Amino acid sequence: MAPPRASTVKAVGAGARVAPGSGSRLPPNARARGSRRATRSNAQGFDDYVQELQKDMLARCEAADGSGSRFRVDEWERERGEGFGRTCVMEDGDLFEKAAVNVSVIRDVLSAERASAMSERGRGTIDRAGGQPYEAEALSLVFHPRSPLVPTLRADVRRFRVGDAAWYGGGCDITPSYLDEELAREFHRYWRSVCDRHSPEAYPKFKAWCDRYFYIPARGEHRGLGGIFFDDLEEGGGEAYDVSAFARDFSSGILDSWLPLALEANRQEFTKEQKEWQLLRRGRYVEFNLLYDRGIKFGLGGGRMESIMVSAPPSVKWRYDARPEDGSEEDRLLRVLSGEPREWAA
């Protein structure tokens, strides 16, 4: 992948070079391991599955970072109902300026408000009056890389069960500061191959869903270059594939979709101007999260604040009416984000 040209956004110390992190590279077969881990078993409870997946991700991320940085593990319990979580954060690494990999497992009773909202989304077995016991498990992650040449990664997988009915949701997408078309194509081709193992209709549907969801109307921009996004996939709900198997296959492949590409891009040097542009682009990331992200807006109504805001980047800037020069690499990215979504996997 060819490195982007130097930035045209001014910054203090412009022109100085910054050495990238030297995270260890993954073995050549890393991308193929996801599907094998996914089958570690559909019989395994989803709560145990996401916890094992989290442990695997923590170990792989620490090894890939190569700096000796370690995740801080913060375990917590819910104040109402039953449930617990594990919030894991690593900061100031060579590859990861900030990485968070979180798990939550909840057992509770549906409130009337939440039951009504779920019923309106087509979940016919939900009693709008509330009162039904439910189970919910989720794994979520966000990786804010140190290098502006490495895209931010966001991903999650979740299951919600009421009685005999269960629904799955999740997604994985990248938000770059610089446009690397080869990286974008490889990322999307990876997810097309995962989806195609289950249904040829899955990738086009989930890719378009991702493009619609991660959009900032006030800016007229897509937040990033997308990926896949899905929600309300019901077990036995009429899909032509096993949605539980798909959710496990998807989630076990999250790191393989990004980590080899990130390590390659992280070997390139970058300038302080490019770092400054990354901080400005992170502002858009924060804007989307606080204004439009459904999960964060729900969590701000009474969730655990440290776990909710852990997705925020470690440092960010806003400058009034900051616009790159026409024809620059920064301008090239904005033209793609403000246009129609591309079919990267074509």
Side-chain angles (χ1 to χ4, degrees), residues 11-85:
V12 177
R17 303 297 292 185
V18 181
S22 56
S24 57
R25 292 187 63 79
L26 292 178
N29 66 340
R31 299 186 193 201
R33 296 191 311 214
S35 59
R36 293 199 294 272
R37 281 197 306 274
T39 59
R40 101 181 135 196
S41 67
N42 279 341
Q44 180 186 34
F46 202 70
D47 53 350
D48 292 331
Y49 171 75
V50 294
Q51 291 183 75
E52 284 193 18
L53 185 57
Q54 182 190 42
K55 291 177 183 177
D56 179 64
M57 287 181 168
L58 299 183
R60 292 181 65 192
C61 287
E62 288 178 350
D65 187 82
S67 68
S69 294
R70 295 290 180 263
F71 280 91
R72 170 184 171 179
V73 179
D74 184 8
E75 297 186 342
W76 50 270
E77 294 184 358
R78 293 189 78 218
E79 294 182 359
R80 55 158 288 176
E82 297 181 8
F84 62 91

Side-chain angles (χ1 to χ4, degrees), residues 7-299:
S7 167
T8 55
V9 178
K10 293 183 179 179
V12 177
R17 303 297 292 185
V18 181
S22 56
S24 57
R25 292 187 63 79
L26 292 178
N29 66 340
R31 299 186 193 201
R33 296 191 311 214
S35 59
R36 293 199 294 272
R37 281 197 306 274
T39 59
R40 101 181 135 196
S41 67
N42 279 341
Q44 180 186 34
F46 202 70
D47 53 350
D48 292 331
Y49 171 75
V50 294
Q51 291 183 75
E52 284 193 18
L53 185 57
Q54 182 190 42
K55 291 177 183 177
D56 179 64
M57 287 181 168
L58 299 183
R60 292 181 65 192
C61 287
E62 288 178 350
D65 187 82
S67 68
S69 294
R70 295 290 180 263
F71 280 91
R72 170 184 171 179
V73 179
D74 184 8
E75 297 186 342
W76 50 270
E77 294 184 358
R78 293 189 78 218
E79 294 182 359
R80 55 158 288 176
E82 297 181 8
F84 62 91
R86 188 175 299 111
T87 301
C88 302
V89 183
M90 178 167 61
E91 297 176 295
D92 300 322
D94 285 346
L95 172 61
F96 302 101
E97 190 168 352
K98 181 181 179 183
V101 184
N102 308 323
V103 157
S104 63
V105 176
I106 297 171
R107 307 288 182 259
D108 207 339
V109 175
L110 282 174
S111 66
E113 179 183 12
R114 189 167 190 182
S116 177
M118 293 176 63
S119 180
E120 290 173 359
R121 285 167 57 186
R123 299 183 181 185
T125 59
I126 301 297
D127 184 347
R128 295 176 65 92
Q132 292 170 288
Y134 74 86
E135 302 174 0
E137 305 90 11
L139 177 143
S140 63
L141 63 85
V142 62
F143 297 156
H144 292 291
R146 180 172 300 282
S147 169
L149 307 182
V150 179
T152 290
L153 182 78
R154 183 224 63 91
D156 75 308
V157 65
R158 55 195 179 275
R159 186 193 74 150
F160 197 93
R161 176 178 289 279
V162 178
D164 294 331
W167 299 267
Y168 292 86
C172 183
D173 64 280
I174 51 173
T175 303
S177 299
Y178 286 89
L179 179 62
D180 185 327
E181 296 195 8
E182 183 180 347
L183 185 152
R185 285 192 291 269
E186 287 198 39
F187 180 79
H188 277 270
R189 285 170 181 165
Y190 177 93
W191 285 118
R192 183 179 65 182
S193 70
V194 171
C195 291
D196 284 353
R197 289 199 289 267
H198 300 268
S199 168
E201 288 80 31
Y203 172 77
K205 177 181 177 180
F206 298 157
K207 191 266 186 189
W209 202 340
C210 188
D211 290 333
R212 290 193 303 270
Y213 184 77
F214 292 102
Y215 183 72
I216 308 174
R219 297 286 190 180
E221 295 177 11
H222 295 272
R223 191 183 71 176
L225 299 183
I228 61 173
F229 181 89
F230 57 94
D231 206 358
D232 292 333
L233 297 184
E234 185 174 358
E235 283 185 351
E239 300 292 346
Y241 56 94
D242 184 335
V243 298
S244 175
F246 168 74
R248 293 178 187 238
D249 196 11
F250 155 77
S251 54
S252 67
I254 289 171
L255 284 191
D256 291 338
S257 75
W258 177 84
L259 196 50
L261 304 175
L263 288 170
E264 183 176 350
N266 199 51
R267 294 161 55 195
Q268 303 172 27
E269 292 188 343
F270 59 87
T271 67
K272 286 192 174 182
E273 300 111 316
Q274 290 171 323
K275 184 67 178 179
E276 178 81 359
W277 176 248
Q278 180 193 45
L279 299 182
L280 293 173
R281 292 308 303 170
R282 284 176 174 176
R284 296 287 201 271
Y285 198 92
V286 173
E287 288 175 17
F288 176 86
N289 280 6
L290 295 180
L291 295 175
Y292 305 108
D293 186 84
R294 193 169 64 205
I296 289 179
K297 290 171 71 176
F298 177 82

